[in-house]
Amino acid sequence: MQNAVLITGANSGIGRESARQLAVHGNYSAIYLACRNRVKAQRARSELQALTGYTRFITVDFDAANPESAQRLVQALDNPLHGVLLNAGGTGGNMPFQRTDTGMTRIFADNIGGHAALLAALIDSGALLNTGVLAGSEAARGVPALRIPRPAFQQHSVDEYAAVIDGSFFEGRTRNPLHAYAYVKFLGAAWMAASARRHPNLRLLTMSPGNTSGTGALDHSGLLARTLGARFVFPYVAPLFGLAHPLRAGGERMVKALTNPELKTGLFYASHAKTLTGPVTNQEYIYPALGNLRYQDHALQAVEQFLA
């Protein structure tokens, strides 16, 4: 049976943990580890094989900022995919608002743009048979506890969404990558929901792994912030207030989204209001704009402008 899965950003954090859990609890013909850095990918493959005893991890190259990377990845597949976890992301590294060759900001390309190109390539080639899951974030509805305001669109138009994608929306504003991340994740969930309606033969949804320790979320913060966050805040302080959970829990959410058909196509699942951990719920109950079909279609149109 051909039931391969592919995970982007699989060399560390949520992606690596999801791969581990799928290898231990699933029965897959192959688990593709799609990564930007080949050395890190091979290291992750060796470590995962040693941890799980599973020997069918396959590394493939994927760079979300490179418009040709998605096509090359699809051509490299030896198996059709039962499912894909579109997991790679982050806050754009050291230059989140720098534009890539596609005209997208780095933060948008890393989280959504490259995944949109990959999903389109998989669907167009018939290589995706069942489920696609996009890694979302509670930031899409705003996280007051972390001082991340709710995205504040004026028109929810195609042009306004496109301005977020190319970064012009943020000109004249405080260029806070975490604030931009909220807008990016909103558009990602909306784009995925519209894609699900366009492809009713597939199950396409968004799942937030929650605020999870053991990821690269603080990699581009200052030394003090990284040290305090990694050693004290994430493991000990944040869990007391429902603001963070272990890497295992974040991976479990993503694996559940991929494997549990009770999680419905077109929806965005994340934590209940005022928490970043625990059970998940459909986010349109918290922020109705996420369930607006017109907004979703506008997000799809805006993204496709940059993929043409």
Side-chain angles (χ1 to χ4, degrees):
M1 176 167 43
Q2 298 298 322
N3 60 340
V5 294
L6 182 144
I7 305 168
T8 68
N11 61 279
S12 63
I14 296 293
R16 183 180 182 277
E17 174 60 16
S18 298
R20 185 194 69 79
Q21 293 186 23
L22 288 168
V24 170
H25 301 296
N27 181 27
Y28 296 98
S29 57
I31 298 177
Y32 290 94
L33 310 176
C35 310
R36 180 181 297 142
N37 185 301
R38 291 186 181 184
V39 173
K40 292 181 179 180
Q42 292 293 342
R43 184 185 304 130
R45 177 178 178 271
S46 298
E47 292 170 353
L48 285 165
Q49 286 187 166
L51 280 171
T52 66
Y54 179 86
T55 59
R56 296 188 296 278
F57 290 109
I58 302 172
T59 61
V60 288
D61 295 338
F62 179 64
D63 181 356
N66 184 335
E68 299 177 358
S69 181
Q71 293 291 341
R72 289 200 297 266
L73 188 158
V74 173
Q75 293 170 6
L77 296 177
D78 296 322
N79 302 279
L81 300 177
H82 175 81
V84 57
L85 287 181
L86 305 171
N87 161 79
T91 54
N94 293 319
M95 302 185 73
F97 296 100
Q98 183 183 47
R99 291 180 184 173
T100 68
D101 291 341
T102 62
M104 302 178 182
T105 60
R106 184 77 203 208
I107 189 173
F108 194 89
D110 285 352
N111 285 277
I112 311 301
H115 289 142
L118 176 57
L119 186 64
L122 289 169
I123 293 174
D124 290 347
S125 66
L128 181 62
L129 304 179
N130 192 285
T131 300
V133 178
L134 176 69
S137 170
E138 285 81 1
R141 68 177 196 222
V143 184
L146 299 181
R147 297 184 178 180
I148 302 174
R150 177 169 288 182
F153 292 102
Q154 296 300 312
Q155 296 90 26
H156 288 274
S157 65
V158 175
D159 288 344
E160 190 175 28
Y161 288 171
V164 170
I165 296 172
D166 69 17
S168 59
F169 180 89
F170 304 102
E171 292 175 2
R173 304 170 186 242
T174 301
R175 286 196 162 194
N176 185 324
L178 281 178
H179 293 181
Y181 181 75
Y183 285 87
V184 166
K185 288 299 190 179
F186 177 96
L187 290 188
W191 158 75
M192 197 64 161
S195 298
R197 286 188 284 111
R198 177 182 285 182
H199 302 286
N201 58 313
L202 298 172
R203 191 170 67 95
L204 304 176
L205 64 150
T206 301
M207 170 65 80
S208 170
N211 200 30
T212 305
S213 61
T215 71
L218 298 175
D219 285 354
H220 298 283
S221 303
L223 178 60
L224 180 61
R226 291 201 308 272
T227 302
L228 290 176
R231 294 186 180 180
F232 301 106
V233 177
F234 270 108
Y236 301 112
V237 179
L240 295 175
F241 301 94
L243 297 179
H245 56 197
L247 192 60
R248 172 189 51 77
E252 285 174 352
R253 282 194 183 188
M254 301 308 291
V255 169
K256 181 179 180 181
L258 185 69
T259 59
N260 186 347
E262 293 183 2
L263 295 178
K264 297 179 181 180
T265 190
L267 299 186
F268 170 26
Y269 294 94
S271 307
H272 287 255
K274 299 183 180 180
T275 68
L276 300 175
T277 62
V280 298
T281 188
N282 179 3
Q283 293 298 287
E284 68 180 83
Y285 298 143
I286 299 173
Y287 187 19
L290 287 160
N292 187 296
L293 301 187
R294 183 168 63 90
Y295 298 171
Q296 294 171 2
D297 289 340
H298 287 176
L300 180 63
Q301 293 172 47
V303 170
E304 291 185 335
Q305 289 181 9
F306 293 82
L307 301 181

